[in-house]
Amino acid sequence: MTPSNEHKNPTEAAAMIDVVLRREKNWEELWFYQKTVVLYQLTYTFTSRFLPKYGDRTVDQMIQAARSGKQNIVEGMADGVTSMELEMKLINVARASLKELREDYEDYLLSHRLTRWQKGHIRYGNLLKFCQQHNKLEEYQPFFNRWDDEEMANTALSLCHYVDKMMKSYESWLEQDFKENGGIRERMTAARLGYRNIQKATIEAKDREIAQLKSEITRLQGELKYLKEAYQRQDFRLVLTSKTSMTSKTGQLLLIWSPVVESDISTKRAFLFRRCSVSSCLIRPAASGSLAII
């Protein structure tokens, strides 16, 4: 860990480790979810137009299968924030429900002696192209009351095919994501260990900082001791780099200085002075850096 990361607060540190919760997906933007919305509304209209309102359990079964396909996608992706396992299970439940719905449409065509459009049928290619390129409900809804039962059933079968194919690809992506990133327990463990490592590094950095401050305190205490001893000796000294003597403004007083040998005390620090015993004058450093006799 680099020094710049050692003093991050917990909020910043959390961004440096693996997140525990997975990002929730916006299922409304997924094409296979959009197609299941179309399937549900199409099925509702189909059963209302072509199946008996009472006495036929197929109506409820088809509507519930279409609804289950759509709702389990929503629930699965919402639960996937904390559990990829649950998401995969619910996505598979959605696929199973739509396969059940597909079977109901195939049974309807067979029992009513209608044609199942397959490769070679004159309208099969255009139907596949339309279902492949269109996902939104508003693109299908204008036809709900215009198509006959054969057209609606074959459209529903094509939608079931594309939805199942896309959801299968999504399950494969989930499987790969699980292999690379693991599940919720692994992410929780990684996040906790990562945060503890950050805490440990922060404590170690603070310990080093404290040691440096103690060393600086010891150095300053030694310098203070030296200055106190100089003051007690009434030592009339000045730290100079070149000059060792100076004459008063009147030229009558000659002060002789013995420069302090350079040590760990900077030559730019403040200095100690005492009153001159010869002329009762007080020597202070002037603003220009020279000496003034007061």
Side-chain angles (χ1 to χ4, degrees):
M1 183 174 299
T2 59
S4 60
N5 293 331
E6 291 175 345
H7 303 290
K8 289 185 177 295
N9 59 42
T11 302
E12 294 171 323
M16 299 168 56
I17 57 180
D18 294 333
V19 294
V20 175
L21 300 180
R22 297 171 64 221
R23 181 180 178 183
E24 184 174 355
K25 305 173 188 69
N26 185 359
W27 54 81
E28 293 181 345
E29 294 181 355
L30 297 175
W31 290 350
F32 62 81
Y33 171 78
Q34 295 171 1
K35 289 182 187 295
T36 61
V37 174
V38 175
L39 262 174
Y40 175 75
Q41 296 298 330
L42 185 149
T43 301
Y44 187 88
T45 304
F46 178 86
T47 56
S48 298
R49 290 182 60 193
F50 303 114
L51 292 177
K53 294 183 179 179
Y54 305 102
D56 190 348
R57 293 182 57 193
T58 306
V59 175
D60 289 337
Q61 288 174 342
M62 291 182 70
I63 291 176
Q64 288 303 316
R67 181 184 182 277
S68 176
K70 180 173 71 73
Q71 298 302 108
N72 277 289
I73 294 173
V74 175
E75 184 178 356
M77 292 192 175
D79 289 336
V81 173
T82 56
S83 175
M84 185 181 293
E85 178 185 0
L86 188 55
E87 180 180 4
M88 295 176 74
K89 286 181 178 179
L90 290 172
I91 291 296
N92 202 59
V93 171
R95 287 186 65 197
S97 296
L98 295 178
K99 287 182 179 180
E100 179 185 347
L101 179 64
R102 182 176 65 186
E103 191 73 12
D104 285 331
Y105 277 112
E106 289 177 345
D107 288 344
Y108 180 89
L109 290 174
L110 184 62
S111 62
H112 289 77
R113 292 179 172 80
L114 299 175
T115 303
R116 167 72 188 276
W117 300 353
Q118 295 178 332
K119 190 174 182 180
H121 190 279
I122 190 172
R123 300 184 64 182
Y124 180 70
N126 289 333
L127 176 63
L128 286 183
K129 185 177 180 181
F130 180 82
C131 292
Q132 181 181 25
Q133 296 178 351
H134 297 83
N135 305 304
K136 299 295 184 66
L137 176 62
E138 54 267 25
E139 297 171 324
Y140 291 82
Q141 211 161 22
F143 302 102
F144 283 179
N145 292 315
R146 293 165 51 185
W147 286 334
D148 60 24
D149 53 350
E150 182 177 306
E151 291 172 320
M152 290 192 78
N154 277 285
T155 301
L157 288 171
S158 295
L159 287 171
C160 286
H161 167 74
Y162 279 117
V163 170
D164 185 70
K165 185 177 180 180
M166 286 187 283
M167 291 179 72
K168 186 176 180 180
S169 297
Y170 182 72
E171 284 182 324
S172 297
W173 179 84
L174 285 176
E175 182 180 359
Q176 185 63 31
D177 185 39
F178 177 78
K179 291 178 181 178
E180 294 176 359
N181 302 310
I184 182 68
R185 292 180 179 86
E186 292 176 78
R187 294 195 301 275
M188 289 175 67
T189 300
R192 180 58 186 153
L193 290 176
Y195 192 78
R196 288 180 63 182
N197 288 337
I198 289 174
Q199 288 180 315
K200 180 180 178 181
T202 302
I203 292 173
E204 291 175 350
K206 293 294 184 182
D207 289 342
R208 289 194 296 270
E209 184 178 349
I210 291 172
Q212 292 174 356
L213 291 174
K214 286 182 177 179
S215 176
E216 179 67 9
I217 290 173
T218 302
R219 188 188 69 80
L220 292 174
Q221 286 175 339
E223 184 175 334
L224 180 62
K225 180 181 178 181
Y226 171 82
L227 293 174
K228 284 182 177 179
E229 291 175 352
Y231 179 78
Q232 291 171 356
R233 291 196 308 268
Q234 294 291 300
D235 220 356
F236 201 65
R237 293 185 172 191
L238 177 65
V239 177
L240 298 175
T241 56
S242 59
K243 294 183 179 181
T244 58
S245 63
M246 181 170 290
T247 306
S248 67
K249 292 181 179 179
T250 61
Q252 297 176 351
L253 178 63
L254 179 64
L255 301 178
I256 305 299
W257 307 88
S258 57
V260 177
V261 178
E262 282 196 19
S263 61
D264 60 339
I265 305 177
S266 171
T267 58
K268 295 181 180 180
R269 294 187 182 277
F271 309 114
L272 293 173
F273 299 93
R274 66 178 179 80
R275 288 189 176 276
C276 177
S277 59
V278 178
S279 60
S280 298
C281 62
L282 184 63
I283 301 177
R284 301 279 188 190
S288 62
S290 60
L291 292 177
I293 299 177
I294 305 173

